[in-house]
Amino acid sequence: MANLLQEYANVAGEDVVDHLRQLAAPLEGMKVVHVNSTRVGGGVAEILAKLVPLKQELGIDVTWEVIAGEADFYATTKAFHNGLQGNRVDIAKDRLRDFESTNERNAEELRSTLEAADMVFVHDPQPAPLLGLVPERRGKWIWRCHIDVSRPHRPVWRYLRNFVAGYDASIFSLAAFAQNLPHVQYLIPPSIDPLSDKNAPLPDAALRAIYEEFGIDPDRELMLQVSRFDRFKDPVGVIEAYRLAKKFSPGLQLVLAGGAATDDPEGAAVLEETKSAAGDDPDVHILLLPPDAHRTINALQRVADIVLQKSTREGFGLTVAEAMWKGKPVIGGDTGGIRLQIVNDHTGFLVSTPEGAALRIRYLLHHRDRLAEMGEEARSYVRENFLLTRHLREYLTVMVALANRAEDRIEL
Ligand code: UDP
């Protein structure tokens, strides 16, 4: 018992786990259900795969249900996703009807579980209509939105809002994503899992192997950006910053690590732009990694001297927290969720141009003591603010608050 909690205590601190136990005590035995639309793949499933067993260890009677649908249903919900992130999408009426009837079928299946629950967390738009399909519910229902809805395509949000408005509360990742809704909204930023393959410590041999695998010289400085090939991640700007910084550090090498070009036509175009900006420079390595290359990314983040995330627009930027957790100050674009993570001159530097990035690269490479100090600050900042344990603590806090809504004072 309590093995998983102990593992987190070893990384995040005993006090952090004690605090979780304290918060969970009044919730003991509470029936909680999480509902989403996939058991594997994607950030939501990854988070639930960890949060659900942790809540169970804390004595909460929690289960995780997954709604099922046909290909058309997922095509529609993918269109919702794109629409919520700001793309203009037009969804036909029969598609919407299919979306609703898929939810009706799932409500039949899940009805008794959902009716009996004290608290139901419904994740993202796919299962959002369930609330209206379980009229005999007795618990509190919370809609948890993991999507960047800062500038949604209005018709899509108007349609989904009808399903969401009746919830008791909703949770968004950042203040910029909050919406006009007739209930209380909580803000819970994302987190990284310190025990996952992406973030757990690696043996030295795994780090040495990375140099060999990708032909990187371990005796020269290395700068890194890990990102999908997307214009908002500004890979060409990273190459410009590298070129400017190389004038002062002639040995500098650059790795741009991203996913292989998939069916995303824009991704393929951005990859081509990036390759052509890199030209035939043998010190620029553009790596096309498979989606499960977590240990490779982990190793790259550990061996890099300098980590960039030069986005011009960013929801949160998990790569920033990932690198900071590995003791790297991050030079990041002054935008979106990157601003939550980079405390300028402490955990990294916020920049707006390749020139600004190059200046900071030069500074860190020439002040190794500052680089190490800022790296330590970065790691502590992630330990305090962006680990899974903080994420769980905030979920528990929301649960305590909602379970005691009528009280004006909550004894913890
Ligand atoms: N990532 C990955 N392979 C890649 C590029 C990115 O596994 O080729 C991971 C990265 O380590 C991070 C996530 O995908 O965990 C990207 O999240 P982030 O919030 O940084 O950006 P997004 O892609 O969601 O805009």
Side-chain angles (χ1 to χ4, degrees), residues 198 226-228 233 257-259 289 291 294 297 314 317-319 322:
K198 180 69 69 56
V226 176
S227 280
R228 294 176 294 107
K233 308 286 184 180
L289 302 174
H294 303 305
I297 290 176
E314 189 65 78
L318 281 170
T319 52
E322 288 164 8

Side-chain angles (χ1 to χ4, degrees), residues 396-410:
L396 295 173
T397 309
V398 167
M399 290 163 71
V400 171
L402 285 172
N404 295 277
R405 199 77 176 272
E407 316 285 330
D408 53 11
R409 195 189 301 187
I410 303 173

Side-chain angles (χ1 to χ4, degrees), residues 75-135:
T76 307
T77 58
K78 175 76 191 174
F80 287 157
H81 190 113
N82 290 338
L84 290 178
Q85 306 236 71
N87 289 0
R88 293 182 67 84
V89 291
D90 191 14
I91 306 171
K93 282 230 160 48
D94 59 331
R95 281 292 179 93
L96 298 179
R97 186 62 220 125
D98 170 68
F99 166 70
E100 290 166 27
S101 59
T102 301
N103 268 282
E104 282 158 22
R105 281 197 301 282
N106 280 283
E108 287 304 318
E109 286 282 314
L110 297 174
R111 175 155 290 122
S112 55
T113 310
L114 295 176
E115 276 176 357
D118 298 304
M119 220 164 264
V120 178
F121 288 90
V122 172
H123 294 264
D124 284 341
Q126 297 90 331
L130 287 178
L131 174 87
L133 301 165
V134 185

